Amino acid sequence: LIIVFFIKTPMIRNVCPYHTGETMWYRKSRRFRAERNFWLSLFTLVLWLLVLNIYALKKKIVRLKADLKTISSDGYKTQDGNAAMKKGE
């Protein structure tokens, strides 16, 4: 009796008596695609945040360079230690 039970019982664990194998593969493929799309969307979000951060840093560098030009043209000392001359002096 036990031998007959093991012979008639399928070895595949994901067998559903109400769905065919084709339906099960269809459901698995839908789940795989949904998970893949989630991870791709998350990766895209991380890349956009990285681009935003790099843009903000570059914008800050441009602003600081403009401030440095303003400061050095106002008569403060420049990086080489010499006082910058104002225009007209």
Side-chain angles (χ1 to χ4, degrees):
L1 182 64
I2 294 175
I3 296 173
V4 173
F5 176 74
F6 283 120
I7 292 173
K8 294 207 178 229
T9 305
M11 292 298 197
I12 302 171
R13 295 178 187 256
N14 292 333
V15 173
C16 179
Y18 304 109
H19 297 101
T20 63
E22 184 178 333
T23 306
M24 296 300 284
W25 279 109
Y26 177 73
R27 295 172 89 197
K28 283 183 180 184
S29 65
R30 276 187 27 207
R31 181 177 176 194
F32 171 77
R33 287 186 195 109
E35 288 178 3
R36 179 200 62 194
N37 291 343
F38 168 77
W39 290 112
L40 285 173
S41 298
L42 184 64
F43 181 66
T44 304
L45 175 68
V46 168
L47 286 180
W48 273 112
L49 292 174
L50 184 66
V51 167
L52 181 67
N53 193 13
I54 291 172
Y55 173 75
L57 290 173
K58 301 257 311 166
K59 190 175 177 180
K60 186 176 181 180
I61 289 171
V62 169
R63 185 177 45 85
L64 290 173
K65 283 183 179 180
D67 289 346
L68 182 62
K69 284 182 183 178
T70 304
I71 289 171
S72 63
S73 67
D74 287 344
Y76 291 100
K77 290 189 176 185
T78 58
Q79 289 179 350
D80 60 357
N82 297 330
M85 299 295 291
K86 290 184 181 180
K87 292 181 183 176
E89 288 184 0

